Amino acid sequence: MILEKLLKSTFFPLPFPTKIDILKEEHIRMEGTYHMKQFKNPVLPGFNADPSIIRVDDTYYIANSTFEWFPGVRLHESKDMIHWNLLPSPLSTTTLLDMKGNPSSGGIWAPDLSYADGKFWLVYTDVKVTEGTFKDMVNYVTTAEDIRGPWSDPIRINGVGFDASLFHDEDGRKYLVQQTWDHREYHHAFRGITLTEFDTETMKLKPETARNIYNGTDVKLVEGPHLYKINGYYYLFAAQGGTVYTHQEVVARSRTLDELSFETEPDGPFITNFDTPYLGIQKQGHGALVETPGGEWYYASLCGRPWTHENESCIDPRGYCTLGRETAIQKVYWDEDGWPRIEGGHGGSVYVDAPADGIETDAPADHSLHDDFEEAKLHDEWNTLRVPFTDDMGTVGGGKLVLRGQGSLCNTHELSLVAKRWQAFYFDASVKVSYQPYSYQQMAGLTNYYNDKHWSFAFVTWNEKNGRVIEVGECNRGNYTSFLRDDAIPVPEGADVWLRTKVRKESYTYEYSFDGTNYEEIPVTLDAAVLSDDYVLQSYGGFFTGAFVGMACVDYAYFDTQAEFSCFDYRELGDVRKDDGTFAWE
């Protein structure tokens, strides 16, 4: 009924997109500044959720959630807010983050990055329980004088609720602002926004100062708070509606920080896409505010770019965001009553006017990655699950990545998997595999992976019929299927195997080669929707990541077989398929 009313409402047709004729790379250079007419959302494609944006001098920084993926918290920097470069992750040791055994979509939720007193402050949540009545979690704070580290040993703050952020008031006081969890089944689990003073002398909270400052609106699920002091008002930005297609951000303000003193912005919400189903970006809400040196205002928000199967509605279900929740930036203006508004309406825009005073930032044209594994450390684009890459998992350098077989891809404790985000709808990824299994319990190859219950795997293994063979398997909602079975592809004696995956937005396939040049398609086409939050949420609650592609070695017999990987190549083709069958960036 609610959706039907919205579809009939008078404001629904306004956000229908039109083609904007712009020269994306035309720019004006004046006195060292760089001005591009517009930029395109998302600015951080692929799984880059829950952005916390700040500016220090002339540089912008964004911190994003990483959930169970290691290292924890993803950082980017830019001087023009258009081109972003990946920085080393701050939570790169088990001292700062230990997630062994964490459930999928547990771990790092909504980190908060701020700058005060000559240093960066990072508040982050490690969620240990995701399903059911309880949300066991611990909030920590760490600091660094340089965004690239080193970061101080973490200080445990509390476990009151997730999405904690640190507010630095003008009088020098600091406050932790956070969602509050209530396990009692006769209360709503999202118990409003709690504010607690933080003592910088002891680096501890003052629990006696804790108070509820805002309960949100009837939309419920209030979370992701960020607090700002602007023109004499405290402005509270908070997400509501759950991080799905009903997601939104509301703004409330108060002259004080007293209990329940905040008034909600009229004619809101501040941003949402619930009533703009045809816009290219959806799910906008949770995010943070930033001001440019020249006094322009922008809001960084999570977003998703759904696609639908040919026989499905684009409204319900609205689609599948296989690239996960990404980061978009919208321009903000202040109305005559002092409330922030999104330029162009609360649905936002795909193309947004860039800051006038941005400084040109060099960055790669896309997120393609070729890795010959020559360095004795993993590239910053690589991720592991829950724990860092150590000798228990394997070694890297000298032209190869060696993975030691551990648990299956369903394992949340011991798993040898190295992967990177999907960051385009169309891409090819390939790798050379050298592996000598002698049991069907041993597997090594190329995986497309969402979580421990949703993944696929093209791998070299062994069977009784042909010895060393190539098989393709999929885990869908925890149910495993072997596709080739007795028709598994025999591997010639002494041959290495090249494996390639071709992702084509709605579906993807695997191929193999014995010379690295001539590939044969494996006759299995897989539904990419299975690797999305939206699909997983149809049967499980609370999943928030995105699809990854990478390499894995499994030996659940624990005989420590090792696989050598070399010449990994991830090549982005674009976000759209043209009429002639080729791919391009829109």
Side-chain angles (χ1 to χ4, degrees):
M1 287 298 294
I2 294 174
L3 180 59
E4 183 179 351
K5 289 178 181 178
L6 281 170
L7 292 177
K8 293 179 179 178
S9 67
T10 57
F11 61 85
F12 177 79
L14 294 179
F16 274 64
T18 58
K19 275 288 182 182
I20 300 176
D21 184 21
I22 62 169
L23 298 176
K24 298 186 181 78
E25 295 300 328
E26 181 180 347
H27 58 268
I28 302 170
R29 300 174 189 269
M30 295 181 63
E31 298 178 357
T33 65
Y34 175 81
H35 178 67
M36 184 179 289
K37 291 184 178 180
Q38 293 185 312
F39 61 83
K40 183 186 177 186
N41 281 314
V43 294
L44 298 181
F47 165 41
N48 286 287
D50 310 322
S52 174
I53 188 170
I54 63 170
R55 176 179 59 84
V56 180
D57 298 326
D58 59 8
T59 304
Y60 302 94
Y61 301 97
I62 291 179
N64 295 99
S65 299
T66 44
F67 296 90
E68 72 267 34
W69 289 94
F70 201 96
V73 179
R74 195 160 161 93
L75 294 177
H76 287 85
E77 71 173 358
S78 173
K79 290 180 182 292
D80 59 14
M81 212 185 292
I82 303 166
H83 307 100
W84 295 84
N85 286 299
L86 182 65
L87 296 174
S89 294
L91 309 184
S92 58
T93 68
T94 52
T95 299
L96 283 154
L97 179 63
D98 188 353
M99 298 188 293
K100 190 171 185 178
N102 274 24
S104 292
S105 283
I108 300 299
W109 286 21
D112 171 69
L113 185 65
S114 59
Y115 186 82
D117 311 325
K119 57 187 174 183
F120 293 91
W121 300 70
L122 181 68
V123 175
Y124 60 98
T125 308
D126 181 7
V127 178
K128 298 297 186 184
V129 175
T130 57
E131 293 286 300
T133 301
F134 292 88
K135 283 282 187 293
D136 292 19
M137 73 203 79
V138 180
N139 293 304
Y140 298 94
V141 63
T142 178
T143 62
E145 293 183 1
D146 188 323
I147 192 72
R148 291 166 175 76
W151 292 84
S152 64
D153 287 350
I155 296 171
R156 184 180 180 127
I157 307 174
N158 70 6
V160 168
F162 49 82
D163 292 4
S165 64
L166 194 62
F167 171 59
H168 310 268
D169 207 347
E170 295 171 343
D171 62 4
R173 293 183 178 183
K174 301 186 189 303
Y175 299 89
L176 193 73
V177 193
Q178 62 194 131
Q179 182 273 358
T180 309
W181 189 260
D182 192 337
H183 73 277
R184 296 173 293 180
E185 75 281 5
Y186 55 94
H187 284 185
H188 196 284
F190 286 64
R191 192 68 171 169
I193 303 301
T194 296
L195 179 92
T196 311
E197 189 171 349
F198 181 75
D199 188 337
T200 56
E201 294 292 328
T202 62
M203 295 295 281
K204 293 182 179 179
L205 292 173
K206 298 178 179 180
E208 69 277 6
T209 68
R211 53 198 179 273
N212 179 2
I213 61 170
Y214 187 62
N215 281 326
T217 73
D218 290 342
V219 173
K220 303 294 187 186
L221 301 171
V222 62
E223 59 185 338
H226 285 95
L227 194 60
Y228 306 90
K229 185 74 173 290
I230 303 169
N231 294 332
Y233 276 106
Y234 293 98
Y235 286 88
L236 178 67
F237 285 68
Q240 293 189 143
T243 183
V244 288
Y245 294 108
T246 52
H247 196 45
Q248 63 174 234
E249 183 85 353
V250 293
V251 178
R253 72 182 182 190
S254 173
R255 293 287 187 183
T256 73
L257 293 176
D258 295 337
E259 186 164 353
L260 293 177
S261 61
F262 280 76
E263 167 198 9
T264 303
E265 180 177 30
D267 302 320
F270 171 68
I271 192 169
T272 188
N273 296 114
F274 181 57
D275 57 345
T276 67
Y278 293 101
L279 192 68
I281 52 176
Q282 296 289 308
K283 299 184 180 181
Q284 289 178 102
H286 185 138
L289 187 70
V290 71
E291 184 182 13
T292 72
E296 296 179 279
W297 292 86
Y298 288 85
Y299 181 76
S301 166
L302 68 83
C303 72
R305 288 181 288 167
W307 54 265
T308 56
H309 296 111
E310 187 175 354
N311 61 343
E312 291 176 328
S313 166
C314 67
I315 295 176
D316 186 19
R318 197 164 292 189
Y320 305 97
C321 300
T322 42
L323 301 189
R325 295 176 304 148
E326 307 170 284
T327 290
I329 296 178
Q330 300 292 345
K331 195 165 187 181
V332 174
Y333 71 94
W334 298 83
D335 70 17
E336 60 186 11
D337 295 319
W339 290 104
R341 306 286 183 181
I342 297 292
E343 284 202 1
H346 66 235
S349 304
V350 174
Y351 294 98
V352 176
D353 290 339
D357 54 6
I359 300 172
E360 182 177 1
T361 301
D362 289 328
D366 63 22
H367 297 86
S368 296
L369 172 67
H370 183 85
D371 197 341
D372 287 322
F373 304 114
E374 293 294 343
E375 299 294 324
K377 65 181 288 292
L378 289 176
H379 190 282
D380 286 342
E381 286 285 1
W382 290 118
N383 302 265
T384 53
L385 281 163
R386 299 175 179 84
V387 296
F389 184 79
T390 65
D391 290 343
D392 289 337
M393 195 179 296
T395 60
V396 63
K400 60 187 177 182
L401 170 68
V402 178
L403 293 182
R404 182 176 68 86
Q406 298 191 90
S408 73
L409 299 188
C410 297
N411 197 308
T412 59
H413 289 78
E414 295 175 324
L415 174 60
S416 295
L417 181 151
V418 174
K420 77 171 301 296
R421 288 159 172 76
W422 286 18
Q423 293 185 270
F425 286 116
Y426 299 92
F427 70 84
D428 293 342
S430 61
V431 71
K432 179 183 177 183
V433 186
S434 301
Y435 188 49
Q436 299 295 327
Y438 51 86
S439 164
Y440 58 83
Q441 296 176 326
Q442 299 162 345
M443 301 160 250
L446 190 64
T447 179
N448 287 291
Y449 184 98
Y450 176 84
N451 69 8
D452 59 293
K453 291 182 173 63
H454 301 83
W455 46 265
S456 68
F457 196 18
F459 55 92
V460 179
T461 187
W462 178 94
N463 69 22
E464 297 86 347
K465 181 179 178 181
N466 289 313
R468 201 160 58 115
V469 294
I470 298 169
E471 173 64 283
V472 174
E474 182 187 46
C475 190
N476 185 340
R477 294 177 174 163
N479 300 308
Y480 180 76
T481 300
S482 301
F483 288 105
L484 303 183
R485 304 185 183 187
D486 288 339
D487 295 322
I489 300 161
V491 178
E493 183 70 26
D496 291 327
V497 176
W498 282 258
L499 295 170
R500 181 164 69 186
T501 185
K502 300 175 78 170
V503 173
R504 299 298 182 262
K505 198 171 188 176
E506 300 94 345
S507 63
Y508 64 99
T509 57
Y510 288 102
E511 299 177 331
Y512 72 94
S513 172
F514 298 128
D515 61 10
T517 301
N518 301 296
Y519 280 87
E520 296 287 337
E521 183 173 304
I522 300 172
V524 177
T525 299
L526 295 166
D527 185 356
V530 174
L531 306 180
S532 70
D533 295 352
D534 315 280
Y535 178 86
V536 176
L537 284 169
Q538 294 173 2
S539 55
Y540 299 89
F543 290 93
F544 314 112
T545 55
F548 281 66
V549 62
M551 300 149 287
C553 183
V554 172
D555 186 346
Y556 67 86
Y558 284 90
F559 288 121
D560 297 329
T561 55
Q562 296 185 351
E564 293 184 3
F565 297 88
S566 56
C567 303
F568 179 89
D569 191 75
Y570 166 87
R571 192 64 48 195
E572 294 188 350
L573 305 175
D575 277 342
V576 295
R577 187 197 301 266
K578 298 193 294 185
D579 292 340
D580 62 3
T582 61
F583 312 103
W585 303 102
E586 189 175 36

